[in-house]
Amino acid sequence: MLIGLAANRLHHHDGTAALFRWLRASGKGLRELQVSLHVVGRTFDAIERQGFLDDRTVLLRYPYGRQGGLMKLVAEVVGMGAERTLDGAVYLIDPVDPSSVFPEATALKRQCVIHGKPFISTVASARDWVENERIHAGLPADAGADDLHAFAGQTLALIAHDAMKPAMLAFADEHFDVLARFGERVATGTTGQRLNELAWSRGWPSDTPWVTRYQSGPMGGDAQIADRVLEGRCQRAIFFEDPHVARQHEADIQLLERAVTTVTDQAVCITAPRVAARWATAAARRAQG
């Protein structure tokens, strides 16, 4: 498995930074999965400086970001041959670092979404992804990831742009039992109404909303959910983005994404239907023991 890796400066500046919190938590799983990391230069240098390189970890060093390292990861998400086609990308984002909104950073996420590959921007998402892949590989559950799967005490946000609403409804229908395990679900306007109608059609009590509805995205619903994320009252967001359409409320969308990366250790975000389905399948298997 080949995964691109980059981190903004805040997340690798010393041994307690986000990158190393993830590697400490998930290093064993990365080795079990035989993950090869294609690492942008400055991030690679930080890993080497902190002594995280050993003969059990495969890392390939790429140029610094300013020299095209991140651009190369974008090309590899699209595909550059058998040995240079990434299965996803981990990009630990500092939301106030200007480089996080450079074209190559935006393109990395967009191409991951287009090609149905994981784009992982927080420590919690990175830990979650490793555990899910371990479950798919038939490995026993890691007790260190139990906090990520304590759904009864968590809130799940379900958000979809107009063109992606059918995909969200199909996803919720197929994985209804997993989503129903969450203590609370929230959604923006129209998506929330359709999800409630789906739940009622499946026997959910008709006098009880399955999701708590906020405003539509253009009217501020993304901002309302972002506030919950920042307050620690929403731990997971499944956000089906349409990468092909210009969006008038782009700032609102970015607000939610920035909120998730601000609380990097607490919030998990999934942005593509294929990735969400793989997570839900792993979650169901993990619960079955």
Side-chain angles (χ1 to χ4, degrees), residues 71-225:
M71 296 182 202
K72 292 174 75 68
L73 295 190
V74 177
E76 292 189 351
V77 166
V78 177
M80 297 296 291
E83 295 182 359
R84 289 190 59 203
T85 296
L86 296 177
D87 298 296
V90 176
Y91 179 25
L92 298 178
I93 293 174
D94 171 11
V96 300
D97 188 321
S99 66
S100 68
V101 293
F102 284 0
E104 56 266 43
T106 302
L108 182 62
K109 177 185 177 182
R110 183 173 182 272
Q111 291 303 327
C112 283
V113 172
I114 288 172
H115 292 277
K117 297 178 179 181
F119 177 79
I120 301 164
S121 60
T122 73
V123 171
S125 298
R127 290 177 54 219
D128 192 58
W129 173 77
V130 170
E131 178 64 359
N132 294 334
E133 290 303 314
R134 291 183 70 262
I135 298 301
H136 279 292
L139 296 168
D142 177 6
D146 285 350
D147 61 312
L148 297 168
H149 289 262
F151 299 153
Q154 297 179 13
T155 295
L156 167 69
L158 297 164
I159 305 168
H161 295 138
D162 288 346
M164 303 303 294
K165 284 177 171 50
M168 176 60 78
L169 291 171
F171 166 73
D173 192 30
E174 182 175 358
H175 301 286
F176 188 83
D177 291 343
V178 171
L179 305 185
R181 289 167 51 198
F182 282 82
E184 184 180 5
R185 290 153 298 278
V186 298
T188 50
T190 305
T191 303
Q193 179 60 32
R194 293 183 182 178
L195 287 169
N196 279 333
E197 291 168 355
L198 169 67
W200 294 329
S201 74
R202 293 182 59 109
W204 192 264
S206 59
D207 59 346
T208 304
W210 191 63
V211 301
T212 299
R213 293 176 63 206
Y214 285 94
Q215 296 282 351
S216 67
M219 294 301 294
D222 296 322
Q224 290 176 306
I225 294 176

Side-chain angles (χ1 to χ4, degrees), residues 18 21-22 122-124 127 147-148 260-267:
R21 295 198 297 274
W22 172 52
T122 73
V123 171
R127 290 177 54 219
D147 61 312
L148 297 168
V260 169
T261 54
T262 296
V263 290
T264 186
D265 289 284
Q266 286 79 47

Side-chain angles (χ1 to χ4, degrees), residues 1 25-36 56-58 130-131 133-135 137-142:
M1 187 180 300
S26 300
K28 180 175 181 290
L30 291 170
R31 291 190 292 271
E32 290 173 328
L33 296 169
Q34 298 182 327
V35 173
S36 177
R56 298 171 299 168
T57 305
V58 179
V130 170
E131 178 64 359
E133 290 303 314
R134 291 183 70 262
I135 298 301
L139 296 168
D142 177 6

